[in-house]
Amino acid sequence: MHKLTSLLLVVSRPWFNLRRDRRGVTAIMVAMSATVLFGMAALATETGSWYFMRRNVQSAADNAAAVGAMRLSMYSSYVPAQSLTTSQSFAVAAARDALTRNNFVDGQNGVSVTIASPPTNGSLAA
C-alpha cells in the first residue's frame, strides 16, 4: 500500500505543482493548447459533416437510379408497344420524383439534377 501511495504522489506531484504555479506561463500554455484542441475538434466536426452530406447525396443518386431503372424495366416489359422515348421519359420522371423525396429538388439550394437515359458517359455510355 505504501508503494502505491508513493507512486500516486510521484505521478500527481507535477499536476499539483502546475496548479500552484503563479508565474503566468501556465495560463498561456493552457490557452494555446485549448485553441489548438478546439480548432482540431472543429475541423473534425466539419469533415464529418462533409462525409455525411456526401453519403446522403450518393444514397439519393443510387435510389433515383434504381427507381428509374425499375420504371424503365416495367414499361419495357409490360407495355412492349410503348415507344422507347416514352419509356425513358417515364423513367426520368420517376428518378426525379425519387430525388425530390430525398430532399434534392432541381434548381433549389444549388442542386442541379441531370438524368441521362441511356448514359452519356462512363463505361455504359451509348
Side-chain angles (χ1 to χ4, degrees):
M1 186 66 162
H2 177 66
K3 287 185 178 185
L4 181 62
T5 307
S6 63
L7 179 66
L8 286 174
L9 286 175
V10 169
V11 170
S12 62
R13 186 169 296 155
W15 293 108
F16 289 124
N17 292 339
L18 187 65
R19 195 175 73 191
R20 287 186 299 218
D21 190 6
R22 302 281 183 223
R23 291 179 291 177
V25 177
T26 305
I28 293 171
M29 292 302 291
V30 168
M32 289 173 49
S33 299
T35 303
V36 171
L37 179 67
F38 291 142
M40 295 302 282
L43 180 64
T45 303
E46 187 70 21
T47 303
S49 69
W50 291 338
Y51 279 110
F52 179 71
M53 179 54 85
R54 181 179 172 195
R55 189 182 71 198
N56 284 346
V57 170
Q58 186 65 50
S59 177
D62 291 344
N63 185 20
V67 167
M70 285 191 309
R71 182 64 60 96
L72 184 62
S73 173
M74 182 178 74
Y75 276 102
S76 297
S77 62
Y78 291 125
V79 187
Q82 195 78 357
S83 71
L84 183 62
T85 306
T86 306
S87 298
Q88 287 175 346
S89 65
F90 282 127
V92 168
R96 284 189 191 273
D97 182 54
L99 284 171
T100 303
R101 290 175 191 244
N102 284 310
N103 299 324
F104 292 100
V105 181
D106 191 20
Q108 290 183 358
N109 298 327
V111 174
S112 175
V113 177
T114 304
I115 299 171
S117 178
T120 56
N121 58 8
S123 62
L124 300 175

